[in-house]
Each structure stands twice: as C-alpha cells, then as structure tokens.
C-alpha cells in the first residue's frame, strides 16, 4: 500500500426513507464533524454531504431542498420511487463517485456513530481502499435481535458467504473501489457481501452503535429475515446442495423402512400404523415444499437478473457540483420545486 499524499474530497452518503423527524439533527451533527475535519486539514473544503431520498412519503425531500439552499455542500438525490436501502446506497455512490475521492455511507438515523469518520479517513490516507466500521458490541440490541444476528453470520459463513461480522453498511470506499463495485451488474444487491468480493486492501474501525434518535426503524423483523435470505441466496448455492443431501438421506431412511416393513410382513408382525403413516406424509410433504421454495427463490433471482432492469432511477439532483455520466441508471431532471 502507498500512503496517500493528497487530502481527499470526502462525500458522506445518507440513504433516507421517511426520515423527516431525524434529518435536521443528523445534518447538524455531520456538518459540525465536517467543519472540524476541514479545519484540521483532514479533508478538502468542498467535501459534501449527499442525502438520497428513497421515495419518501413524508417531507424528507422538501427538507433536503431547504437544507441544500442553506449550505452549498449538501446535495440531494431523489429517486423516482422506493427502490430499497441497497439500491439507494448504489445511487448515492454512483453520483458521489463523480466528485469525491472517498465516500462514506451511513444511515440517516445516527445509530452509526459519525465520530469515527475521521478515523476512517485516516485509514484511507494510509492506503486502504475500503474501511469497514464494525460494531464493538451488540448491547443496544434486544436479546432476540442480537442472537439472530450472530446466528446469521455463522450460517452465512458456513454457506460460504464472505461477510465482515458485526458490519452493516457503514463503510468508507475509495473512488477506485466504487467504480469496481459499479461493474458488478447484479440486480439482487447485497453490499455486505459484494464489497468484500472486490479484494481491495481493507481495514476495520470499531465503534459503539447508538440508538435511533427519532422516527421508527425501517427494518422490522419480516424485512430483516427477507434481507438475510436474499443475501445468502445471492452468494451461495449451498442451500440447494443441502436439500439434495437431505433428499439422499431421506431416501436412505425410506429404504431401511421398506426392508423393515417387508421383514415384518413375512414374519406376520405387520400392523396398521396410522400415526407413522401420517408423520411420514407430513414430514416428506413439508420437506418437498421447502425444497421447492428454495429452488423457487433461485429461479426468481434468475428471472430478476435476466430482465436487466435499472437498479435505481434518479428523478432529481440538487446542488450537484460536477456533471457527468451516471453508471447503470437513467437520469431525468424535474423542476426543483418538487
């Protein structure tokens, strides 16, 4: 690695979906941190904050326009509808990579501790292309969330999915690594596994995750489970192999039962077994449905990929400093009064 001599222009990217309650607090905090880093000479004076409105239903976009008019270094990106957290991050990085040397993605609810941003930039200056912000503990989580998260990382690792444990989407990426990420064309986006696949020099910075400052979580249990399943099935075919092995095992058990039944019949000990019959039907029926469901998930992903639809659609950009082509997106402008 080569130590960087140039002070980077930093872009802070915040995906926002219905975040009007917390947006002002978040921007106030980030502007203070940005100003302090500029005074220290850690980042360029034109470093910016980019907020990606992921199809919010509240006043999030109106607030972004207000703040953009108050501070020249706040940029708003409006998506045409709600595409989801991961595509919103991609949209922000796609726009920010035209202007910034390094980009940091973090949530708008301030649970990601912005105080470590300077440490992440220091790692970047040491030559690292990617810097992961990793939680030092999960004491702020409920017992259920903490244990299910740990189980997810163990299962994902066993299935061959390369993840950074206790890391979400709070990370720094250089322009080089972002451009490489944009070359990955898949529509089933799971950045926590896609970024490590790039293979660039990386480092970790630990932090203590806080509580949401306002508003409600955008990841309830159902959405978290869906996100976990999507992530695993996007990067591993082991679930299908597991179902094949399970099928072989069941066929073996069935063979033993057939032999046992024939011997019992020849010895005259055969009896009607309603209970065992029902258990077998329900067991095999459930396994068949589960197997079909897993295979269906993979077929659904193939269906999504072959259509090659844009992963996100940018409707409007306010305060953008440098025009340029947008990777993997169709962009059209509307009046800023929206």
């Amino acid at each position: 690695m080569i130590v960087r001599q140039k002070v980077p222009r930093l872009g802070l990217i915040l995906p926002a979906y219905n975040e009007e309650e917390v947006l002002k607090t978040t921007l106030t905090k980030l502007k203070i941190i940005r100003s302090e880093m500029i005074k220290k000479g850690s980042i360029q004076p034109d470093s910016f904050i980019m907020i990606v409105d992921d199809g919010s239903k509240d006043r999030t976009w109106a607030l972004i326009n207000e703040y953009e008019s108050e501070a020249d270094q706040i940029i708003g990106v409006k998506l045409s509808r709600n595409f989801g957290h991961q595509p919103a991050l991609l949209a922000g990085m796609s726009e920010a990579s035209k202007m910034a040397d390094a980009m940091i993605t973090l949530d708008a609810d301030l649970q990601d501790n912005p105080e470590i941003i300077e440490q992440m930039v220091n790692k970047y200056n040491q030559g690292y292309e990617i810097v992961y912000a990793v939680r030092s503990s999960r004491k702020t989580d409920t017992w259920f969330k903490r244990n299910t998260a740990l189980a997810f990382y163990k299962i994902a690792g066993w299935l061959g999915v390369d993840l950074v444990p206790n890391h979400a989407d709070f990370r720094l990426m250089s322009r080089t690594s972002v451009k490489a990420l944009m070359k990955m064309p898949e529509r089933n986006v799971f950045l926590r596994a896609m970024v490590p696949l790039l293979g660039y020099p990386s480092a970790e910075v630990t932090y203590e995750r806080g509580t949401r400052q306002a508003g409600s979580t955008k990841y309830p249990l159902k959405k978290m489970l869906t996100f976990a399943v999507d992530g695993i099935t996007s990067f591993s075919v082991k679930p299908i192999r597991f179902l094949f092995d399970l099928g072989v095992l069941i066929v073996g058990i069935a063979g033993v039962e057939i032999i046992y039944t024939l011997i019992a019949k020849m010895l005259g000990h055969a009896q009607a077994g309603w209970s065992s019959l029902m258990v077998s039907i329900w067991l095999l029926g459930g396994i068949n449905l589960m197997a079909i469901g897993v295979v269906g998930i993979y077929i659904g992903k193939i269906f999504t990929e072959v259509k090659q639809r844009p992963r996100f659609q940018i409707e409007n950009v306010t305060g953008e400093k440098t025009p340029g082509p947008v990777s993997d997106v169709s962009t059209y402008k509307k009046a800023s009064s929206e």
Side-chain angles (χ1 to χ4, degrees):
M1 291 183 299
I2 301 174
V3 177
R4 305 179 201 273
Q5 302 298 323
K6 177 187 174 184
V7 176
R9 183 183 188 188
L10 180 67
L12 300 176
I13 304 169
L14 289 76
Y17 177 66
N18 295 341
E19 296 288 5
E20 65 174 345
E21 296 180 53
V22 74
L23 198 56
K24 182 176 181 179
T25 304
T26 300
L27 288 178
T28 300
K29 180 75 172 178
L30 291 178
K31 285 192 289 185
I32 292 172
I33 292 173
R34 182 187 62 187
S35 297
E36 291 176 350
M37 292 180 67
I38 291 173
K39 289 178 182 178
K40 293 179 182 178
S42 302
I43 58 176
Q44 293 286 351
D46 56 355
S47 295
F48 58 89
I49 301 170
M50 177 177 285
I51 311 157
V52 182
D53 179 13
D54 186 24
S56 298
K57 306 296 184 184
D58 60 3
R59 295 187 64 253
T60 296
W61 181 244
L63 291 175
I64 291 172
N65 277 280
E66 291 178 16
Y67 299 138
E68 190 276 326
S69 64
E70 295 173 4
D72 293 334
Q73 298 305 324
I74 293 182
I75 300 172
V77 175
K78 180 176 174 58
L79 302 188
S80 60
R81 62 172 177 84
N82 178 239
F83 285 87
H85 183 264
Q86 302 291 286
L89 288 174
L90 281 179
M93 288 188 285
S94 175
E95 285 290 320
S97 63
K98 298 183 291 186
M99 301 171 278
D101 301 306
M103 288 141 272
I104 293 180
T105 55
L106 68 164
D107 290 341
D109 56 15
L110 280 188
Q111 286 186 277
D112 295 331
N113 184 4
E115 300 293 340
I116 66 166
I117 287 176
E118 188 168 3
Q119 296 179 46
M120 299 171 76
V121 173
N122 290 338
K123 290 289 185 183
Y124 167 81
N125 289 331
Q126 292 171 19
Y128 293 102
E129 300 289 338
I130 302 169
V131 182
Y132 300 104
V134 179
R135 296 177 63 173
S136 57
S137 70
R138 287 187 167 269
K139 64 183 182 181
T140 57
D141 290 346
T142 62
W143 179 91
F144 178 79
K145 185 174 181 180
R146 179 168 57 252
N147 286 277
T148 51
L150 294 175
F152 166 71
Y153 285 116
K154 288 181 180 179
I155 294 171
W158 177 69
L159 293 174
V161 183
D162 187 14
L163 295 174
V164 178
N166 293 319
H167 163 71
D169 289 299
F170 186 15
R171 69 178 73 86
L172 179 147
M173 296 184 68
S174 67
R175 179 187 293 161
T176 300
S177 61
V178 169
K179 287 184 176 180
L181 178 65
M182 291 300 172
K183 293 178 181 179
M184 293 184 175
E186 56 254 51
R187 269 58 190 162
N188 298 288
V189 182
F190 187 59
L191 292 174
R192 300 180 195 188
M194 291 170 67
V195 174
L197 282 178
L198 297 175
Y200 286 103
S202 61
E204 296 181 5
V205 174
T206 58
Y207 73 103
E208 193 67 44
R209 188 171 172 84
T211 57
R212 170 175 273 273
Q213 299 296 305
S216 58
T217 179
K218 305 305 182 293
Y219 268 89
L221 177 61
K222 181 180 178 181
K223 199 168 183 179
M224 287 175 59
L225 292 175
T226 301
F227 185 62
V229 171
D230 283 345
I232 289 175
T233 53
S234 293
F235 288 86
S236 175
V237 296
K238 282 191 176 180
I240 289 182
R241 294 175 183 168
F242 171 75
L243 289 175
F244 175 78
D245 294 339
L246 182 61
V248 172
L249 176 63
I250 292 174
V251 169
I253 294 173
V256 174
E257 284 196 16
I258 290 171
I259 295 172
Y260 170 78
T261 301
L262 291 175
I263 292 174
K265 185 175 181 62
M266 287 186 294
L267 295 177
H269 299 309
Q271 296 180 0
W274 181 85
S275 299
S276 60
L277 179 63
M278 293 302 295
V279 168
S280 298
I281 291 174
W282 280 99
L283 176 63
L284 293 175
I287 291 174
N288 282 330
L289 288 174
M290 183 177 68
I292 293 171
V294 172
V295 174
I297 290 174
Y298 282 94
I299 294 174
K301 288 182 178 292
I302 295 171
F303 177 69
T304 302
E305 294 293 339
V306 297
K307 288 186 293 186
Q308 291 291 294
R309 290 177 178 169
R311 293 178 290 189
F312 51 85
Q313 193 89 359
I314 296 178
E315 179 179 321
N316 198 1
V317 179
T318 66
E320 191 175 23
K321 307 297 184 296
T322 307
V326 180
S327 174
D328 189 37
V329 61
S330 300
T331 303
Y332 59 95
K333 302 277 187 173
K334 286 190 175 182
S336 59
S337 59
E338 291 186 355

